[in-house]
């Protein structure tokens, strides 16, 4: 398998974690977003969106991080990244989507660029926007963890899965942009538990071959 | 089952379509977002995010539209809303996420409000923002449909599923905000095919009990 990704892309980081949790080997193909390498002809030939990550598995090309992770979980079931019952799976998918659909889309590079370059927003306003969605969005996940009562060491029980693949990169982003995190102690406990594990340590941005 | 939703919410519309495709009955519980009913105590008691849709199935509470749809597909498998192979499922989930993670989060009500009320953006700039993400985002989906070759009458083959549950509400939104759609003819063919079907006709915003 080949993973087209970028060390700082949190959607890429999600898939790196999933591959590591599954113990799967892959070729790391860097696409430098800040240098606009996603617009090179060679990448445009495989990617309609010019986004990362993109997984090539033989002839197959798979995009969208959560779709890639579910594909990996279906094709390499052990260890599972989703729980056993439909209701529990809905809970874990919902947590992942609370981040992947409500927080991260508002804060990725192309969106921040559009705010400043196309709409003329000042850096200070852009940073306020960033922190607003991270801080309020993570609070929702924190409340769910407290209320819905599935949490153990991780968001669901005692092993990391899809929810952690999405949560941990978002916490990295939050720290990089100096967001408040003292209001989400449960999430930070999960984060710390993850960062004890090789699958998270070895795939973090600073450990990537294209890290600067 | 009870579905907490709002006629104009496109994430709610996704779930209404899925329930209708499955032929499932439910109680329609309106939550008027424009009147801020999502912040009422009674709704806050069940919803950490104060977003719609929210499905109550017996004691269980499920949030996030794509997680709800996968839950419905797992608990009521016929007709299936996802294809049979892992790779095909990844394709359909990826299309749904191209919309649900790249277009819609940028354009929902709370985000548009933040742009104008908190960041002081003019209406004209807000509309430009809206159209930019819809028009460029749908173009990606159009390209994938042309390139990846699974399309029949619908995004994947000849029956609607998860991808159509997400696509059709996004096209409704695009039309409401006068977005260009002449550059996405394949998507519009799928849209027209869907709008021949009861599951889409009877769940569209104007057909909802809370429609204004």
């Amino acid at each position: 398998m080949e993973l087209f990704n970028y060390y700082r892309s949190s959607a890429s980081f999600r898939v790196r974690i999933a591959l590591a949790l599954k113990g799967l080997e892959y070729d790391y193909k860097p696409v430098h977003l800040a240098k606009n390498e996603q617009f090179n002809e060679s990448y445009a030939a495989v990617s309609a969106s010019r986004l990362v990550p993109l997984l090539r598995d033989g002839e197959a090309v798979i995009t969208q991080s959560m779709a890639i992770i579910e594909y990996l979980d279906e094709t390499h079931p052990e260890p599972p990244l989703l729980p056993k019952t439909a209701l529990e799976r809905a809970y874990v998918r919902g947590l992942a989507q609370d981040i992947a659909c409500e927080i991260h889309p508002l804060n990725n590079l192309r969106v921040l660029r559009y705010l400043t370059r196309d709409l003329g927003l000042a850096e200070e306003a852009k940073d306020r926007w960033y922190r607003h969605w991270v801080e309020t969005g993570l609070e929702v996940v924190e409340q769910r963890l407290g209320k819905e009562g599935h949490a153990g060491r991780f968001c669901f029980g005692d092993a990391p899965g899809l929810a952690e693949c999405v949560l941990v990169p978002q916490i990295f982003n939050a720290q990089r942009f100096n967001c408040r995190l003292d209001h989400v102690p449960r999430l930070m406990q999960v984060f710390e538990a993850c960062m004890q594990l090789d699958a998270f340590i070895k795939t973090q941005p600073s450990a990537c071959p294209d890290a600067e």
Side-chain angles (χ1 to χ4, degrees), chain A residues 19 32 79 121 123 135 142 149 194:
Chain A
L19 285 160
H32 199 301
L121 222 62
E123 284 293 314
E135 293 172 3
E142 174 80 11
C194 289

Side-chain angles (χ1 to χ4, degrees), chain A residues 55-104:
Chain A
L55 184 76
R56 191 137 60 177
D57 187 7
E59 292 300 297
V61 167
I62 308 165
T63 54
Q64 283 295 345
S65 61
M66 290 188 297
I68 296 172
I69 294 171
E70 296 243 9
Y71 171 80
L72 292 171
D73 203 40
E74 292 179 357
T75 52
H76 301 84
E78 294 300 326
L81 301 182
L82 285 167
K84 287 195 179 137
T85 75
L87 189 58
E88 291 166 348
R89 279 194 292 279
Y91 173 70
V92 170
R93 286 184 178 126
L95 290 181
Q97 292 166 23
D98 282 337
I99 296 169
C101 301
E102 312 297 344
I103 303 175
H104 179 252

Side-chain angles (χ1 to χ4, degrees), chain A residues 7 25 59 73 89 117 155 208 211:
Chain A
Y7 77 107
E25 298 290 322
E59 292 300 297
D73 203 40
R89 279 194 292 279
R117 295 187 191 171
C155 295
C208 288

Side-chain angles (χ1 to χ4, degrees), chain A residues 8 12 40 42 51 63 94 115 117 121 124 132 140 169 180:
Chain A
R8 256 189 182 163
S12 298
N40 288 357
S42 61
L51 298 174
T63 54
L115 285 172
R117 295 187 191 171
L121 222 62
E124 177 278 324
H132 174 77
V140 167
R180 242 189 95 200

